[in-house]
């Protein structure tokens, strides 16, 4: 049973209306709906559970992370609790030290309630696949008692490495992972900006030399994290920006130098300014721009912290004309999104690729009556695949500002 206090959301779910797009989710939802999957807008029935997962949001705040929703969930559970043995599992991302604080504040007086930390590592756009085939499962607790054994039994069918850590280790592991991948993006962008200001530079060639280093290659295989070393317009979404900022605040609270994490965010913010320099150098205001992609990444309709928002707002302020095209997003803030229409696409002269939707590869086969410029902020397109010979492809890290 899934509980949410948003009555409209629960009404929609009980009407089989899924509020988000995620590949494979609709099929899985329809298969389980009203069989093993139920939805309620209240906490009644809490005591029917053996395991309760808390998966509420932990948004950023001026103090680092807002824990209001976590605390409210716990309070509502305890109001109805009747002394049954229940395992409370926190999957929400919370600052190191928080689980222990929650344990002491809310749970220490209840012998039959056990609190554990169990961070999730689902990537948006791959969440269903990542849930079914996880690469690791982390259980954070101070002791392995019979109640904690329930979570290990629950995860037994999953064929992956399982880690038993302390509360604090478990909490840090999530931030460590997201900060690592965010740092790779900013790292590659920093050097790509350098390439843009010098002649005869192609970042991709430079990066390929690093990917030949024996200290990186394992069994002659280039690591998958190479995908995070593709320079572009920076990271968005609900995880990387929030989590890097959250752990940065935690380090500050503990009076630990957090300059490395600051630099990750600073470089990411600079990506918008750097990208806009490329736009202004290559586009004029006479022709309407086609922005390809509104969601922060492909295979998702999530627009939270989407880089398209920043680019669209800057274009608007400088009186550029533009349309936004996205296969799943209908509106991004005040901007309406259009569907990909091959006939209308031929009318544009300028394109900005923001999201790597496979649909956008349809542009490869189009003939254009005029020359076009594509600023590919995700290094998604390959010049040789275009049918039209009138395409100029521009990307970050290719001497674009020299």
């Amino acid at each position: 049973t899934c509980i949410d206090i948003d009555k409209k959301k629960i009404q929609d779910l009980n009407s089989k209306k899924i509020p988000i797009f995620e590949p494979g989710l609709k099929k899985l939802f329809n298969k389980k709906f009203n069989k093993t999957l139920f939805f309620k807008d209240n906490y009644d029935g809490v005591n029917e559970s053996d395991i309760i997962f808390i998966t509420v949001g932990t948004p950023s705040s001026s103090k680092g992370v807002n824990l209001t929703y976590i605390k409210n969930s716990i309070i509502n559970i305890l109001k109805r609790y009747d002394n049954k043995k229940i395992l409370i599992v926190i999957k929400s991302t919370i600052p190191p030290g928080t689980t222990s604080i929650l344990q002491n504040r809310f749970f220490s007086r209840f012998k039959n309630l056990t609190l554990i930390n169990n961070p999730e590592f689902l990537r948006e756009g791959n969440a269903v696949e990542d849930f079914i085939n996880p690469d690791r499962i982390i259980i954070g607790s101070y002791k392995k008692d019979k109640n904690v054994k329930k979570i290990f039994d629950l995860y037994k069918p999953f064929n992956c490495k399982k880690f038993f850590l302390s509360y604090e280790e478990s909490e840090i592991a999530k931030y460590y992972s997201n900060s690592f991948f965010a740092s790779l993006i900013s790292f590659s962008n920093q050097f790509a900006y350098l390439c843009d200001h010098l002649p005869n530079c192609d970042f991709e060639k430079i990066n390929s030399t690093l990917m030949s280093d024996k200290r990186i290659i394992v069994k002659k295989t280039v690591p998958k994290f190479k995908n995070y070393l593709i320079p572009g317009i920076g990271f968005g979404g609900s995880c990387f920006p929030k989590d890097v900022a959250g752990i940065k605040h935690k380090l500050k609270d503990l009076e630990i130098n957090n300059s490395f994490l600051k630099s990750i965010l600073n470089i990411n913010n600079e990506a918008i300014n750097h990208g806009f320099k490329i736009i202004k150098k290559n586009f004029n205001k006479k022709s309407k721009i086609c922005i390809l992609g509104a969601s922060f990444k492909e295979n998702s309709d999530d627009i939270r912290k989407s880089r398209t928002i920043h680019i669209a707002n800057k274009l608007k302020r400088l009186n550029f004309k533009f349309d936004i095209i996205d296969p799943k997003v209908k509106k991004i803030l005040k901007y309406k999104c259009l569907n990909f229409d091959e006939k209308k696409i031929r009318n544009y002269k300028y394109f900005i690729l923001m999201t790597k939707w496979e649909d956008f590869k349809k542009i490869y086969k189009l003939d254009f009556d005029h020359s076009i410029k594509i600023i590919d902020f995700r290094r998604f397109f390959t010049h040789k695949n275009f049918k039209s010979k009138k395409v100029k492809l521009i990307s970050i890290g290719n001497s674009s500002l020299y």
Side-chain angles (χ1 to χ4, degrees), residues 18 21-30 125 128-129 132:
I18 305 174
F21 170 74
E22 187 70 39
L25 181 59
K26 187 175 181 179
K27 182 179 178 181
L28 187 61
F29 180 94
N30 290 336
V128 174
E129 173 61 24
I132 295 171

Side-chain angles (χ1 to χ4, degrees), residues 87-151:
L87 183 64
I88 309 291
V89 182
I90 296 179
K91 291 201 74 70
S92 306
T93 304
I94 51 178
T98 303
T99 309
S100 180
I101 292 170
L102 295 174
Q103 166 66 27
N104 293 331
R105 179 177 173 181
F106 293 106
F107 296 99
S108 57
R109 66 184 185 274
F110 298 104
K111 291 183 179 180
N112 288 330
L113 279 181
T114 302
L115 181 66
I116 70 166
N117 186 273
N118 174 217
E120 58 87 5
F121 295 92
L122 308 183
R123 297 167 297 164
E124 286 194 54
N126 298 85
V128 174
E129 173 61 24
D130 286 348
F131 179 80
I132 295 171
N133 297 299
D135 43 27
R136 79 279 208 192
I137 291 171
I138 296 174
I139 308 298
S141 179
Y142 291 146
K143 55 184 178 179
K144 265 188 182 179
D145 58 16
K146 291 181 180 179
N147 223 11
V148 173
K149 187 177 180 296
K150 290 180 185 176
I151 198 73

Side-chain angles (χ1 to χ4, degrees), residues 40-81:
K40 295 172 68 174
D41 60 11
N42 60 70
Y43 283 79
D44 297 340
V46 159
N47 294 293
E48 298 170 9
S49 306
D50 295 310
I51 302 175
I52 297 175
F53 287 93
I54 297 178
T55 61
V56 297
T58 49
S60 296
S61 73
S62 58
K63 296 180 180 179
V65 178
N66 184 346
L67 298 172
T68 301
Y69 304 113
I70 287 264
K71 291 174 182 176
N72 286 347
S73 297
I74 292 171
I75 290 168
N76 278 303
I77 291 168
L78 295 181
K79 279 180 181 178
R80 294 158 178 83
Y81 177 61

Side-chain angles (χ1 to χ4, degrees), residues 278 282-283 373-377 392-396 400:
I278 297 174
N282 289 281
F283 293 171
K373 288 183 179 180
I374 301 176
I375 298 178
D376 182 355
F377 280 141
K392 182 179 181 181
L393 194 59
I394 303 156
S395 57
I396 289 178
S400 300

Side-chain angles (χ1 to χ4, degrees), residues 57-305:
T58 49
S60 296
S61 73
S62 58
K63 296 180 180 179
V65 178
N66 184 346
L67 298 172
T68 301
Y69 304 113
I70 287 264
K71 291 174 182 176
N72 286 347
S73 297
I74 292 171
I75 290 168
N76 278 303
I77 291 168
L78 295 181
K79 279 180 181 178
R80 294 158 178 83
Y81 177 61
D82 70 358
N83 208 37
K84 178 188 175 181
K85 284 189 177 181
I86 298 178
L87 183 64
I88 309 291
V89 182
I90 296 179
K91 291 201 74 70
S92 306
T93 304
I94 51 178
T98 303
T99 309
S100 180
I101 292 170
L102 295 174
Q103 166 66 27
N104 293 331
R105 179 177 173 181
F106 293 106
F107 296 99
S108 57
R109 66 184 185 274
F110 298 104
K111 291 183 179 180
N112 288 330
L113 279 181
T114 302
L115 181 66
I116 70 166
N117 186 273
N118 174 217
E120 58 87 5
F121 295 92
L122 308 183
R123 297 167 297 164
E124 286 194 54
N126 298 85
V128 174
E129 173 61 24
D130 286 348
F131 179 80
I132 295 171
N133 297 299
D135 43 27
R136 79 279 208 192
I137 291 171
I138 296 174
I139 308 298
S141 179
Y142 291 146
K143 55 184 178 179
K144 265 188 182 179
D145 58 16
K146 291 181 180 179
N147 223 11
V148 173
K149 187 177 180 296
K150 290 180 185 176
I151 198 73
F152 281 96
D153 291 342
L154 181 69
Y155 285 133
K156 201 169 186 179
F158 294 90
N159 184 26
C160 68
K161 195 162 186 177
K162 300 173 180 76
F163 296 86
F164 182 72
L165 307 177
S166 70
Y167 284 157
E168 291 79 7
E169 290 166 340
S170 177
E171 292 160 336
I172 292 173
K174 175 62 182 287
Y175 284 103
Y176 184 57
S177 175
N178 278 359
S179 297
F180 171 71
F181 289 110
S183 72
L184 293 181
I185 295 169
S186 287
F187 172 70
S188 64
N189 275 346
Q190 182 79 96
F191 281 89
Y193 302 160
L194 174 63
C195 291
D196 275 337
H197 283 89
L198 295 170
N200 311 310
C201 279
D202 182 348
F203 178 86
E204 192 169 336
K205 293 179 181 177
I206 296 166
N207 196 41
S208 65
T209 67
L210 177 65
M211 291 301 110
S212 299
D213 194 308
K214 292 177 182 178
R215 291 168 293 183
I216 293 175
I217 289 181
V218 179
K219 295 181 180 179
K220 298 183 179 180
T221 302
V222 175
K224 289 183 179 179
F225 70 67
K226 180 186 178 184
N227 294 332
Y228 291 87
L229 289 172
I230 299 172
I233 203 67
F235 55 80
S238 63
C239 293
F240 284 6
K242 175 179 74 73
D243 291 351
V244 176
I247 198 65
K248 176 177 73 74
H249 274 278
K250 184 64 180 179
L251 286 170
K252 182 181 178 181
D253 290 343
L254 295 173
E255 298 182 350
I256 300 171
N257 188 311
N258 62 6
S259 57
F260 176 67
L261 295 168
K262 278 183 180 178
S263 70
I264 294 173
L265 296 173
N266 289 340
I267 294 168
N268 195 56
N269 292 334
E270 177 58 26
I272 296 295
N273 295 327
H274 185 86
F276 210 78
K277 289 176 186 176
I278 297 174
I279 292 172
K280 287 196 290 185
K281 180 181 177 181
N282 289 281
F283 293 171
N284 60 50
K285 297 178 184 179
K286 294 178 182 178
S287 298
K288 184 179 279 189
I289 298 168
C290 176
I291 300 176
L292 297 171
S295 58
F296 88 95
K297 68 177 291 189
E298 68 278 8
N299 298 323
S300 171
D301 59 356
D302 192 348
I303 61 171
R304 287 175 292 179
K305 301 285 185 180

